[in-house]
Each structure stands twice: as C-alpha cells, then as structure tokens.
Amino acid sequence: MKSMIALMALGAALPVSALAQTSVNIAETAPIVTLNVTETVDVAPDIATVGTGVQTRAQTAAQAMRDNAVQMDKLIAALAKAGIAKKDIQTSGINLSAQYDYSNRDGQPSGPRFIGYEASNQLSVKLRDIKKVGTLLDTMVEAGATNVSGPSFSIDDPRPMLMQARATALKTAKAQADFYAQAAGYRTARLVSLSESNSGGQPPMPMMVRAQFKADSAPATPVEPGQVGSSVTLTVQYALEK
C-alpha cells in the first residue's frame, strides 16, 4: 500500500506533457499531381436530324386536328417515298390551342377576339444520307411542311472516335505528369486514379436552315455538314516517386 501511494504521488508530480508523450511513425506519402486533359477527334458527320411539321387552323378544335392529320399524312408519305425508314421518323410534339386576336380596333380598348383553333404536329427526322439533306428539306416543304428546323449533325457510332480520343488523352496526361515529376526532382509518375467524361459525336450547336418554296428547276437548299467532334475528358492523378 505504501509503495502504491508513493507511485501515485510520483505520477501526480510529473508534468502533464511527460504523461502524454506518444511515439507515432507516419509513413511518408508521395506527392500527388491531378490533371484534367481533354482530347477531341473531329470527323465528317454521317447523321443529320431535322425537325419538321405542319400547323393548321380551323374554327373548331376537331376540324383543326382533322386538317392537321391530313397534312401530316402527306408529309410522312413524302418522307417514306424519299427513302426515310419508319424507325427514323418520330413524333416530337402535338399541340392544340385556341387562338385570340388581342389587337385594339379603331383605337378603342376591347377584349380578346376568338379567331379559331391551331393544331400542330412536329416530327424529328433522322437523315442517313448527308449528301441529300438539302433535297430532303425541300421535299418536306413541297409536301406541306410549314416549319423546318435544323439540321443537327452527329455520328451514328462514335465509339471508334472515343477510343482514339481516350488513347490520346491518356498519353497527354502521362507526358504532363512525367514533366512535373522530373521538374520537381522525382524519377517517375505512377497513375493512381482515373475518371472520364465524354461527348460522343455531337456538335456544339445545331445549324439552322430556312427551307423555302422554289421552282423545280432551282437548286436544292444548300447544306454544309462540316465536321463534328467526339471529346473525352480524363481526370487523372499521378503519384510522384523518387
């Protein structure tokens, strides 16, 4: 008991810092460099997507829809005759709304005047022959289309382009990491993490074309497809090693 009391007294007399001393060995970790690398492969597009449709007006909603259906049937038949496969024609929107005239007559304020119903039916059409896009735009108008938008160009299968962009991006990232390693006095850079985001065969913005009525002898609406790009962005981390 006397010995225990003596030890307790000695412990109480020691500085608090002496009691808290702990030996911890932390392994040295290699510096990490994080890189964001984007590579884009540009090629000529092989797909064009065009929006088209018809609008009709009538005094009754039912008549507006009936008239619209007749015009839309003509448009779809013309697309089929032009060689557009059924799988490449998709309804993108159908709308029916009452129309009013809000203008003031004779300078006198008046309420809105009902003028009928407007029906619209819109299609998204995929064109697989880029060289015939201008001719097909004119075909749509001649078949009764009252609006045309696009085309938006893309690649049907962007996977080969993405593979090429990945390979180039990874080589670029490794070259940059090795540069940083050597510049900082390290021997090499070792890949420790990698993540990807990509954009496959899509243009930044769709090209807008205004289709116009024309005589049979006039040239087709000019369309220039240019090129579209498939981009890959890699976020990579390299450990710099001695």
Side-chain angles (χ1 to χ4, degrees), residues 170-229:
L170 196 54
K171 289 180 180 178
T172 300
K174 184 63 168 72
Q176 290 183 11
D178 287 340
F179 169 81
Y180 286 124
Q182 295 172 11
Y186 290 84
R187 179 177 57 87
T188 186
R190 175 174 54 86
L191 180 65
V192 294
S193 72
L194 183 152
S195 63
E196 174 192 315
S197 61
N198 64 68
S199 171
Q202 296 295 333
M205 289 290 289
M207 172 183 174
M208 303 307 293
V209 172
R210 182 185 298 275
Q212 298 178 342
F213 290 98
K214 61 181 183 62
D216 292 340
S217 59
T221 298
V223 175
E224 295 295 335
Q227 289 190 322
V228 296

Short mmCIF file of all heavy atoms in Angstrom, two decimals, residues 170-229:
data_model
loop_
_atom_site.label_atom_id
_atom_site.label_comp_id
_atom_site.label_asym_id
_atom_site.label_seq_id
_atom_site.Cartn_x
_atom_site.Cartn_y
_atom_site.Cartn_z
N LEU A 170 -4.85 9.95 -72.63
CA LEU A 170 -4.03 9.26 -71.64
C LEU A 170 -2.54 9.49 -71.89
O LEU A 170 -1.76 9.68 -70.95
CB LEU A 170 -4.35 7.76 -71.64
CG LEU A 170 -3.88 6.96 -70.42
CD1 LEU A 170 -4.41 7.58 -69.14
CD2 LEU A 170 -4.31 5.52 -70.53
N LYS A 171 -2.13 9.47 -73.17
CA LYS A 171 -0.73 9.76 -73.49
C LYS A 171 -0.36 11.18 -73.09
O LYS A 171 0.73 11.43 -72.56
CB LYS A 171 -0.50 9.55 -74.99
CG LYS A 171 -0.53 8.09 -75.43
CD LYS A 171 -0.29 7.99 -76.94
CE LYS A 171 -0.33 6.53 -77.39
NZ LYS A 171 -0.14 6.41 -78.87
N THR A 172 -1.27 12.11 -73.35
CA THR A 172 -1.01 13.50 -73.00
C THR A 172 -0.89 13.66 -71.49
O THR A 172 0.00 14.37 -70.99
CB THR A 172 -2.14 14.40 -73.52
OG1 THR A 172 -2.22 14.28 -74.94
CG2 THR A 172 -1.91 15.86 -73.15
N ALA A 173 -1.77 13.00 -70.74
CA ALA A 173 -1.73 13.09 -69.28
C ALA A 173 -0.42 12.52 -68.73
O ALA A 173 0.20 13.10 -67.83
CB ALA A 173 -2.92 12.35 -68.68
N LYS A 174 0.01 11.37 -69.27
CA LYS A 174 1.26 10.76 -68.79
C LYS A 174 2.45 11.65 -69.09
O LYS A 174 3.35 11.82 -68.25
CB LYS A 174 1.46 9.39 -69.47
CG LYS A 174 2.69 8.63 -68.96
CD LYS A 174 2.55 8.30 -67.48
CE LYS A 174 3.61 7.29 -67.02
NZ LYS A 174 4.95 7.86 -66.94
N ALA A 175 2.47 12.26 -70.27
CA ALA A 175 3.58 13.15 -70.62
C ALA A 175 3.63 14.36 -69.69
O ALA A 175 4.71 14.77 -69.24
CB ALA A 175 3.43 13.60 -72.07
N GLN A 176 2.47 14.91 -69.36
CA GLN A 176 2.44 16.05 -68.45
C GLN A 176 2.89 15.65 -67.05
O GLN A 176 3.65 16.38 -66.40
CB GLN A 176 1.03 16.64 -68.40
CG GLN A 176 0.60 17.33 -69.69
CD GLN A 176 -0.77 17.97 -69.58
OE1 GLN A 176 -1.33 18.08 -68.49
NE2 GLN A 176 -1.33 18.39 -70.70
N ALA A 177 2.43 14.49 -66.58
CA ALA A 177 2.80 14.03 -65.25
C ALA A 177 4.30 13.77 -65.16
O ALA A 177 4.95 14.11 -64.16
CB ALA A 177 2.02 12.77 -64.90
N ASP A 178 4.88 13.15 -66.18
CA ASP A 178 6.33 12.90 -66.19
C ASP A 178 7.10 14.22 -66.18
O ASP A 178 8.15 14.33 -65.53
CB ASP A 178 6.72 12.08 -67.42
CG ASP A 178 6.29 10.62 -67.29
OD1 ASP A 178 6.05 10.17 -66.16
OD2 ASP A 178 6.21 9.94 -68.33
N PHE A 179 6.59 15.21 -66.90
CA PHE A 179 7.25 16.51 -66.90
C PHE A 179 7.28 17.11 -65.49
O PHE A 179 8.32 17.59 -65.03
CB PHE A 179 6.53 17.46 -67.86
CG PHE A 179 6.98 18.90 -67.73
CD1 PHE A 179 8.14 19.33 -68.34
CD2 PHE A 179 6.24 19.80 -66.97
CE1 PHE A 179 8.57 20.65 -68.20
CE2 PHE A 179 6.66 21.11 -66.83
CZ PHE A 179 7.83 21.54 -67.45
N TYR A 180 6.13 17.07 -64.81
CA TYR A 180 6.08 17.62 -63.46
C TYR A 180 6.98 16.84 -62.51
O TYR A 180 7.63 17.41 -61.63
CB TYR A 180 4.63 17.60 -62.94
CG TYR A 180 3.76 18.66 -63.56
CD1 TYR A 180 2.58 18.31 -64.23
CD2 TYR A 180 4.09 20.01 -63.50
CE1 TYR A 180 1.77 19.28 -64.81
CE2 TYR A 180 3.30 20.98 -64.08
CZ TYR A 180 2.13 20.61 -64.73
OH TYR A 180 1.35 21.58 -65.32
N ALA A 181 7.02 15.51 -62.68
CA ALA A 181 7.86 14.68 -61.82
C ALA A 181 9.33 15.07 -61.97
O ALA A 181 10.04 15.31 -60.98
CB ALA A 181 7.66 13.21 -62.15
N GLN A 182 9.81 15.17 -63.20
CA GLN A 182 11.21 15.50 -63.43
C GLN A 182 11.54 16.93 -63.02
O GLN A 182 12.61 17.20 -62.47
CB GLN A 182 11.54 15.27 -64.90
CG GLN A 182 11.43 13.81 -65.33
CD GLN A 182 11.57 13.61 -66.82
OE1 GLN A 182 11.95 14.55 -67.53
NE2 GLN A 182 11.25 12.41 -67.30
N ALA A 183 10.60 17.83 -63.29
CA ALA A 183 10.83 19.23 -62.92
C ALA A 183 10.90 19.40 -61.41
O ALA A 183 11.59 20.30 -60.91
CB ALA A 183 9.72 20.11 -63.49
N ALA A 184 10.21 18.54 -60.66
CA ALA A 184 10.21 18.62 -59.20
C ALA A 184 11.26 17.73 -58.56
O ALA A 184 11.31 17.61 -57.32
CB ALA A 184 8.82 18.25 -58.68
N GLY A 185 12.08 17.09 -59.38
CA GLY A 185 13.16 16.27 -58.82
C GLY A 185 12.78 14.84 -58.51
O GLY A 185 13.47 14.17 -57.74
N TYR A 186 11.71 14.35 -59.11
CA TYR A 186 11.29 12.96 -58.90
C TYR A 186 11.63 12.13 -60.14
O TYR A 186 11.82 12.66 -61.24
CB TYR A 186 9.80 12.89 -58.60
CG TYR A 186 9.44 13.45 -57.25
CD1 TYR A 186 9.24 14.82 -57.09
CD2 TYR A 186 9.32 12.62 -56.14
CE1 TYR A 186 8.92 15.36 -55.85
CE2 TYR A 186 9.00 13.15 -54.89
CZ TYR A 186 8.81 14.51 -54.75
OH TYR A 186 8.51 15.02 -53.52
N ARG A 187 11.69 10.82 -59.95
CA ARG A 187 12.11 9.94 -61.03
C ARG A 187 10.99 9.66 -62.01
O ARG A 187 11.18 9.68 -63.23
CB ARG A 187 12.64 8.62 -60.45
CG ARG A 187 13.08 7.60 -61.49
CD ARG A 187 13.64 6.36 -60.82
NE ARG A 187 12.67 5.77 -59.91
CZ ARG A 187 11.74 4.89 -60.29
NH1 ARG A 187 11.64 4.53 -61.56
NH2 ARG A 187 10.90 4.39 -59.41
N THR A 188 9.80 9.37 -61.52
CA THR A 188 8.71 8.98 -62.40
C THR A 188 7.36 9.33 -61.77
O THR A 188 7.29 9.72 -60.59
CB THR A 188 8.76 7.46 -62.69
OG1 THR A 188 7.77 7.14 -63.67
CG2 THR A 188 8.47 6.65 -61.43
N ALA A 189 6.31 9.18 -62.57
CA ALA A 189 4.94 9.42 -62.09
C ALA A 189 4.14 8.13 -62.26
O ALA A 189 4.14 7.53 -63.33
CB ALA A 189 4.29 10.55 -62.87
N ARG A 190 3.46 7.73 -61.20
CA ARG A 190 2.69 6.48 -61.21
C ARG A 190 1.20 6.80 -61.13
O ARG A 190 0.75 7.52 -60.25
CB ARG A 190 3.10 5.60 -60.02
CG ARG A 190 2.27 4.32 -59.85
CD ARG A 190 2.86 3.45 -58.74
NE ARG A 190 2.99 4.19 -57.50
CZ ARG A 190 2.02 4.33 -56.59
NH1 ARG A 190 0.82 3.79 -56.82
NH2 ARG A 190 2.23 4.99 -55.47
N LEU A 191 0.41 6.25 -62.09
CA LEU A 191 -1.03 6.50 -62.13
C LEU A 191 -1.71 5.86 -60.93
O LEU A 191 -1.53 4.67 -60.66
CB LEU A 191 -1.62 5.94 -63.43
CG LEU A 191 -3.13 6.11 -63.64
CD1 LEU A 191 -3.49 7.59 -63.77
CD2 LEU A 191 -3.59 5.34 -64.88
N VAL A 192 -2.52 6.65 -60.21
CA VAL A 192 -3.22 6.12 -59.04
C VAL A 192 -4.74 6.22 -59.17
O VAL A 192 -5.47 5.49 -58.50
CB VAL A 192 -2.75 6.83 -57.75
CG1 VAL A 192 -1.30 6.51 -57.47
CG2 VAL A 192 -2.98 8.34 -57.83
N SER A 193 -5.26 7.10 -60.04
CA SER A 193 -6.71 7.16 -60.23
C SER A 193 -7.02 7.78 -61.59
O SER A 193 -6.22 8.55 -62.13
CB SER A 193 -7.40 7.97 -59.12
OG SER A 193 -7.13 9.34 -59.26
N LEU A 194 -8.21 7.42 -62.11
CA LEU A 194 -8.61 7.91 -63.43
C LEU A 194 -10.13 7.92 -63.51
O LEU A 194 -10.79 6.96 -63.12
CB LEU A 194 -8.02 7.01 -64.52
CG LEU A 194 -8.27 7.40 -65.99
CD1 LEU A 194 -7.12 6.89 -66.86
CD2 LEU A 194 -9.57 6.82 -66.51
N SER A 195 -10.69 9.01 -64.03
CA SER A 195 -12.13 9.08 -64.30
C SER A 195 -12.33 9.79 -65.62
O SER A 195 -11.48 10.55 -66.07
CB SER A 195 -12.87 9.81 -63.18
OG SER A 195 -12.43 11.16 -63.09
N GLU A 196 -13.50 9.53 -66.25
CA GLU A 196 -13.74 10.03 -67.61
C GLU A 196 -15.12 10.62 -67.75
O GLU A 196 -16.09 10.16 -67.15
CB GLU A 196 -13.59 8.88 -68.61
CG GLU A 196 -13.96 9.25 -70.04
CD GLU A 196 -14.09 8.04 -70.96
OE1 GLU A 196 -13.21 7.16 -70.90
OE2 GLU A 196 -15.08 7.97 -71.71
N SER A 197 -15.21 11.64 -68.59
CA SER A 197 -16.49 12.13 -69.10
C SER A 197 -16.29 12.34 -70.59
O SER A 197 -15.20 12.68 -71.03
CB SER A 197 -16.90 13.45 -68.42
OG SER A 197 -15.94 14.45 -68.66
N ASN A 198 -17.36 12.12 -71.38
CA ASN A 198 -17.19 12.22 -72.82
C ASN A 198 -18.43 12.78 -73.49
O ASN A 198 -19.52 12.79 -72.94
CB ASN A 198 -16.83 10.87 -73.44
CG ASN A 198 -17.94 9.84 -73.28
OD1 ASN A 198 -19.00 9.97 -73.87
ND2 ASN A 198 -17.69 8.82 -72.48
N SER A 199 -18.22 13.24 -74.71
CA SER A 199 -19.30 13.73 -75.58
C SER A 199 -19.12 13.06 -76.91
O SER A 199 -18.15 13.31 -77.61
CB SER A 199 -19.23 15.26 -75.72
OG SER A 199 -20.13 15.71 -76.70
N GLY A 200 -20.06 12.19 -77.27
CA GLY A 200 -19.89 11.36 -78.45
C GLY A 200 -20.51 11.92 -79.71
O GLY A 200 -21.73 11.86 -79.89
N GLY A 201 -19.71 12.46 -80.60
CA GLY A 201 -20.15 12.82 -81.94
C GLY A 201 -21.24 13.85 -82.00
O GLY A 201 -22.14 13.76 -82.83
N GLN A 202 -21.19 14.87 -81.14
CA GLN A 202 -22.24 15.88 -81.13
C GLN A 202 -21.65 17.25 -81.43
O GLN A 202 -20.60 17.60 -80.91
CB GLN A 202 -22.96 15.91 -79.77
CG GLN A 202 -23.68 14.62 -79.45
CD GLN A 202 -24.83 14.34 -80.38
OE1 GLN A 202 -25.41 15.25 -80.93
NE2 GLN A 202 -25.17 13.09 -80.56
N PRO A 203 -22.35 18.07 -82.23
CA PRO A 203 -21.87 19.42 -82.49
C PRO A 203 -22.20 20.32 -81.31
O PRO A 203 -23.12 20.05 -80.54
CB PRO A 203 -22.67 19.84 -83.73
CG PRO A 203 -23.94 19.08 -83.60
CD PRO A 203 -23.59 17.77 -82.94
N PRO A 204 -21.45 21.44 -81.10
CA PRO A 204 -21.75 22.36 -80.01
C PRO A 204 -23.15 22.97 -80.14
O PRO A 204 -23.84 23.12 -79.17
CB PRO A 204 -20.66 23.44 -80.16
CG PRO A 204 -19.62 22.86 -81.04
CD PRO A 204 -20.29 21.83 -81.89
N MET A 205 -23.53 23.33 -81.37
CA MET A 205 -24.84 23.94 -81.60
C MET A 205 -25.39 23.43 -82.91
O MET A 205 -24.65 23.21 -83.87
CB MET A 205 -24.71 25.47 -81.68
CG MET A 205 -24.41 26.13 -80.36
SD MET A 205 -25.81 26.05 -79.23
CE MET A 205 -26.93 27.19 -80.01
N PRO A 206 -26.72 23.19 -82.99
CA PRO A 206 -27.28 22.77 -84.26
C PRO A 206 -27.25 23.90 -85.28
O PRO A 206 -27.37 25.07 -84.94
CB PRO A 206 -28.73 22.39 -83.91
CG PRO A 206 -29.03 23.19 -82.70
CD PRO A 206 -27.74 23.30 -81.94
N MET A 207 -27.09 23.52 -86.52
CA MET A 207 -27.10 24.51 -87.61
C MET A 207 -28.55 24.73 -88.03
O MET A 207 -29.32 23.79 -88.19
CB MET A 207 -26.27 23.95 -88.77
CG MET A 207 -26.33 24.75 -90.05
SD MET A 207 -25.38 23.92 -91.33
CE MET A 207 -25.77 24.96 -92.73
N MET A 208 -28.95 25.98 -88.19
CA MET A 208 -30.32 26.29 -88.54
C MET A 208 -30.43 26.58 -90.03
O MET A 208 -29.63 27.32 -90.60
CB MET A 208 -30.82 27.50 -87.75
CG MET A 208 -30.72 27.31 -86.24
SD MET A 208 -31.50 25.80 -85.64
CE MET A 208 -33.21 26.17 -85.99
N VAL A 209 -31.39 25.95 -90.68
CA VAL A 209 -31.60 26.13 -92.12
C VAL A 209 -33.04 26.57 -92.35
O VAL A 209 -33.97 25.98 -91.80
CB VAL A 209 -31.33 24.81 -92.88
CG1 VAL A 209 -31.73 24.95 -94.34
CG2 VAL A 209 -29.87 24.43 -92.77
N ARG A 210 -33.22 27.59 -93.15
CA ARG A 210 -34.57 28.04 -93.51
C ARG A 210 -34.94 27.44 -94.87
O ARG A 210 -34.32 27.74 -95.88
CB ARG A 210 -34.63 29.57 -93.59
CG ARG A 210 -36.02 30.11 -93.92
CD ARG A 210 -35.97 31.60 -94.10
NE ARG A 210 -35.56 32.25 -92.89
CZ ARG A 210 -36.39 32.58 -91.90
NH1 ARG A 210 -37.67 32.29 -92.00
NH2 ARG A 210 -35.94 33.21 -90.84
N ALA A 211 -35.93 26.57 -94.86
CA ALA A 211 -36.39 25.96 -96.11
C ALA A 211 -37.37 26.89 -96.80
O ALA A 211 -38.23 27.49 -96.17
CB ALA A 211 -37.04 24.62 -95.83
N GLN A 212 -37.25 27.03 -98.12
CA GLN A 212 -38.09 27.95 -98.87
C GLN A 212 -38.74 27.23 -100.04
O GLN A 212 -38.18 26.27 -100.58
CB GLN A 212 -37.25 29.12 -99.39
CG GLN A 212 -36.61 29.96 -98.29
CD GLN A 212 -35.74 31.06 -98.86
OE1 GLN A 212 -35.36 31.02 -100.02
NE2 GLN A 212 -35.44 32.06 -98.05
N PHE A 213 -39.93 27.70 -100.43
CA PHE A 213 -40.56 27.18 -101.63
C PHE A 213 -39.74 27.60 -102.84
O PHE A 213 -39.18 28.70 -102.88
CB PHE A 213 -41.99 27.72 -101.76
CG PHE A 213 -42.92 27.14 -100.74
CD1 PHE A 213 -43.22 27.85 -99.59
CD2 PHE A 213 -43.49 25.89 -100.93
CE1 PHE A 213 -44.08 27.31 -98.64
CE2 PHE A 213 -44.35 25.36 -99.99
CZ PHE A 213 -44.64 26.07 -98.85
N LYS A 214 -39.66 26.72 -103.86
CA LYS A 214 -38.83 27.01 -105.00
C LYS A 214 -39.40 26.36 -106.25
O LYS A 214 -40.20 25.43 -106.17
CB LYS A 214 -37.40 26.50 -104.79
CG LYS A 214 -37.34 24.98 -104.60
CD LYS A 214 -35.93 24.51 -104.36
CE LYS A 214 -35.89 22.99 -104.26
NZ LYS A 214 -36.33 22.32 -105.48
N ALA A 215 -38.97 26.81 -107.38
CA ALA A 215 -39.34 26.18 -108.65
C ALA A 215 -38.57 24.88 -108.80
O ALA A 215 -37.51 24.70 -108.23
CB ALA A 215 -39.01 27.12 -109.80
N ASP A 216 -39.13 23.95 -109.63
CA ASP A 216 -38.49 22.64 -109.80
C ASP A 216 -37.09 22.77 -110.36
O ASP A 216 -36.22 21.93 -110.10
CB ASP A 216 -39.36 21.75 -110.70
CG ASP A 216 -40.66 21.37 -110.03
OD1 ASP A 216 -40.74 21.45 -108.78
OD2 ASP A 216 -41.59 20.98 -110.75
N SER A 217 -36.83 23.79 -111.17
CA SER A 217 -35.53 23.92 -111.80
C SER A 217 -34.48 24.54 -110.90
O SER A 217 -33.31 24.57 -111.23
CB SER A 217 -35.65 24.77 -113.07
OG SER A 217 -36.17 26.06 -112.74
N ALA A 218 -34.90 25.08 -109.74
CA ALA A 218 -33.96 25.74 -108.83
C ALA A 218 -33.12 24.69 -108.11
O ALA A 218 -33.55 23.56 -107.91
CB ALA A 218 -34.72 26.60 -107.83
N PRO A 219 -31.90 25.06 -107.68
CA PRO A 219 -31.05 24.12 -106.95
C PRO A 219 -31.63 23.82 -105.58
O PRO A 219 -32.43 24.59 -105.04
CB PRO A 219 -29.72 24.85 -106.86
CG PRO A 219 -30.07 26.31 -106.95
CD PRO A 219 -31.25 26.36 -107.88
N ALA A 220 -31.19 22.69 -105.01
CA ALA A 220 -31.65 22.31 -103.67
C ALA A 220 -31.11 23.28 -102.63
O ALA A 220 -30.11 23.97 -102.85
CB ALA A 220 -31.19 20.89 -103.35
N THR A 221 -31.79 23.33 -101.49
CA THR A 221 -31.32 24.16 -100.38
C THR A 221 -29.89 23.76 -100.01
O THR A 221 -29.65 22.59 -99.71
CB THR A 221 -32.24 24.00 -99.16
OG1 THR A 221 -33.55 24.43 -99.50
CG2 THR A 221 -31.73 24.82 -97.99
N PRO A 222 -28.94 24.69 -100.02
CA PRO A 222 -27.55 24.33 -99.71
C PRO A 222 -27.37 24.00 -98.24
O PRO A 222 -27.87 24.70 -97.36
CB PRO A 222 -26.76 25.59 -100.10
CG PRO A 222 -27.75 26.70 -99.98
CD PRO A 222 -29.08 26.12 -100.35
N VAL A 223 -26.65 22.92 -97.98
CA VAL A 223 -26.36 22.48 -96.62
C VAL A 223 -24.89 22.06 -96.55
O VAL A 223 -24.44 21.26 -97.36
CB VAL A 223 -27.25 21.30 -96.19
CG1 VAL A 223 -26.85 20.80 -94.81
CG2 VAL A 223 -28.72 21.71 -96.18
N GLU A 224 -24.16 22.61 -95.59
CA GLU A 224 -22.75 22.26 -95.40
C GLU A 224 -22.60 21.53 -94.06
O GLU A 224 -22.77 22.14 -93.00
CB GLU A 224 -21.87 23.51 -95.42
CG GLU A 224 -21.84 24.24 -96.75
CD GLU A 224 -21.20 23.40 -97.84
OE1 GLU A 224 -20.38 22.51 -97.52
OE2 GLU A 224 -21.53 23.63 -99.03
N PRO A 225 -22.28 20.23 -94.06
CA PRO A 225 -22.22 19.48 -92.81
C PRO A 225 -20.99 19.76 -91.96
O PRO A 225 -21.03 19.59 -90.75
CB PRO A 225 -22.22 18.01 -93.28
CG PRO A 225 -21.66 18.07 -94.66
CD PRO A 225 -22.12 19.36 -95.24
N GLY A 226 -19.88 20.21 -92.59
CA GLY A 226 -18.67 20.47 -91.80
C GLY A 226 -18.18 19.23 -91.10
O GLY A 226 -18.22 18.12 -91.64
N GLN A 227 -17.73 19.38 -89.84
CA GLN A 227 -17.26 18.26 -89.04
C GLN A 227 -17.86 18.33 -87.65
O GLN A 227 -18.25 19.40 -87.17
CB GLN A 227 -15.73 18.24 -88.94
CG GLN A 227 -15.03 17.86 -90.23
CD GLN A 227 -13.55 17.63 -90.03
OE1 GLN A 227 -12.89 18.31 -89.26
NE2 GLN A 227 -13.01 16.62 -90.72
N VAL A 228 -17.94 17.19 -87.01
CA VAL A 228 -18.38 17.11 -85.62
C VAL A 228 -17.29 16.43 -84.81
O VAL A 228 -16.48 15.68 -85.35
CB VAL A 228 -19.71 16.35 -85.46
CG1 VAL A 228 -20.84 17.07 -86.16
CG2 VAL A 228 -19.58 14.93 -86.01
N GLY A 229 -17.26 16.70 -83.53
CA GLY A 229 -16.20 16.16 -82.69
C GLY A 229 -16.71 15.27 -81.57
O GLY A 229 -17.79 15.50 -81.02
#
